[in-house]
Amino acid sequence: MGKIATKNIKIPGLTPQEIQLLSVLSAENKRVFSFENAVSTLKETPFTASKILFRLVKKGWIKRIEKGKYLLVPLQAGPERQFTEHPFLIASELVSPYYIGYRTALNHYGLTEQPSETIYIATTRRKLPMVIDGVRYHFVFLQKRKFFGQQGVWIAEKKVFLSRPEKTVIDCLDHLEYAGGLLEVAKALWMGREELNFETLVTDALRLESRAVIGRLGFLMELYGLGNPKLLSPLRERVGKAFVKLDTLGEKKGRYCSRWKVIVNLSKEQLLKERG
């Protein structure tokens, strides 16, 4: 995008170059932008662009979120710069490929009553957690074979990617530590029994190629009467030989369920309570 008309735009404390950069980024809807974006927009040397960005950070018009990456505070925020961006939009710019999942997605789909204070982001890249505007972003590294099942969701006129409801449940069974434990996933299965496609759940579990996930899903579906023998049969055929904990966050003791090769380390009362 070329220069846009900013001659008549006057913002106290901002130079014409600073106004030009903010205006172009706003017009291009770049809520998160890179140092390279700034150099290209300003048509200045990296040294000059760096000084301009430093001034804008100091003045509160942009926020540095990591090396070479910035969050734009829109011009509409006014002189007070009181503005908070939707965390999903920020998450979508932090790593590629990505999808927002686990407890964050459970909450988005209404499959848990517990809010997620952390934004969980699945990716095939390794990246350390970040805190931006008081929100923690945690990146979950996935092998490429496990990275599937995402769908686009519109947030403030931008498409961001979340795991599908069924893949969300399967991912949570794979990483219970990012779901709040087995009981939260059990609750999600029961709460979503009318909306979830259980054939897709089974297909996703098999595609993940995790015998632990297969055992946990089969056990829960059978316990809650959410699958007939024909639907559960593919899971039964792929169940592992070694026993795994039903809830990885619990102790390795409890009843051994040979049918699904899980150690039921939660009481029957706890598990059935999730049905309400």
Side-chain angles (χ1 to χ4, degrees):
M1 179 180 288
K3 283 197 171 186
I4 62 176
T6 59
K7 290 183 179 180
N8 297 324
I9 300 177
K10 304 292 182 184
I11 301 176
L14 290 183
T15 67
Q17 278 182 313
E18 293 166 352
I19 293 172
Q20 179 70 23
L21 176 61
L22 296 177
S23 298
V24 171
L25 291 172
S26 294
E28 293 179 345
N29 202 28
K30 286 189 180 295
R31 292 177 169 86
V32 176
F33 67 95
S34 67
F35 177 74
E36 290 73 21
N37 294 146
V39 171
S40 175
T41 300
L42 289 164
K43 293 181 171 55
E44 296 284 358
T45 65
F47 179 75
T48 300
S50 182
K51 291 198 298 183
I52 293 171
L53 290 172
F54 177 81
R55 294 200 305 265
L56 285 172
V57 169
K58 195 172 181 180
K59 294 173 183 179
W61 283 105
I62 63 175
K63 299 177 182 180
R64 185 178 181 276
I65 56 178
E66 64 177 333
K67 184 178 179 181
K69 197 164 286 187
Y70 301 85
L71 173 65
L72 175 68
V73 176
L75 295 174
Q76 305 92 289
E80 299 300 322
R81 269 87 76 194
Q82 295 298 317
F83 173 77
T84 301
E85 185 59 274
H86 195 295
F88 285 11
L89 295 176
I90 295 176
S92 71
E93 299 284 353
L94 297 178
V95 69
S96 180
Y98 82 96
Y99 62 76
I100 298 164
Y102 302 95
R103 193 167 186 166
T104 310
L106 282 182
N107 185 254
H108 176 80
Y109 293 126
L111 294 176
T112 177
E113 297 166 348
Q114 299 298 321
S116 178
E117 297 179 358
T118 297
I119 305 299
Y120 290 104
I121 306 164
T123 179
T124 56
R125 293 177 56 192
R126 297 188 185 277
K127 190 175 177 70
L128 294 174
M130 304 169 62
V131 177
I132 302 171
D133 282 348
V135 178
R136 187 171 188 270
Y137 296 82
H138 186 95
F139 303 91
V140 181
F141 171 75
L142 293 184
Q143 296 173 318
K144 288 184 179 180
R145 66 179 174 81
K146 291 186 176 183
F147 191 85
F148 66 91
Q150 61 268 48
Q151 65 179 12
V153 175
W154 289 96
I155 303 289
E157 299 181 357
K158 181 181 178 182
K159 184 186 285 187
V160 300
F161 291 96
L162 277 73
S163 49
R164 288 184 279 95
E166 293 81 10
K167 182 57 169 17
T168 299
V169 171
I170 296 304
D171 280 346
C172 286
L173 287 173
D174 191 33
H175 284 288
L176 291 168
E177 68 273 28
Y178 305 136
L182 189 283
L183 292 178
E184 281 301 311
V185 187
K187 187 184 298 182
L189 273 173
W190 185 252
M191 289 176 65
R193 63 191 182 280
E194 300 295 335
E195 293 80 24
L196 291 170
N197 184 316
F198 284 90
E199 290 184 1
T200 301
L201 267 172
V202 170
T203 299
D204 284 353
L206 295 173
R207 182 175 173 183
L208 204 72
E209 297 180 2
S210 168
R211 297 189 186 279
V213 169
I214 288 170
R216 292 182 190 120
L217 178 64
F219 176 85
L220 290 175
M221 286 179 62
E222 194 167 71
L223 178 68
Y224 294 154
L226 297 174
N228 56 45
K230 183 178 179 181
L231 183 60
L232 292 173
S233 179
L235 295 177
R236 286 278 300 120
E237 292 171 1
R238 297 279 292 279
V239 75
K241 294 181 179 180
F243 282 87
V244 298
K245 291 190 293 184
L246 182 63
D247 189 352
T248 55
L249 305 186
E251 296 182 29
K252 194 174 183 179
K253 63 179 183 179
R255 177 173 62 87
Y256 280 66
C257 175
S258 299
R259 180 171 172 79
W260 295 108
K261 289 295 188 292
V262 293
I263 303 169
V264 186
N265 53 355
L266 293 165
S267 70
K268 187 175 181 180
E269 290 73 21
Q270 287 176 298
L271 290 165
L272 295 180
K273 182 182 177 182
E274 303 310 318
R275 296 196 305 183

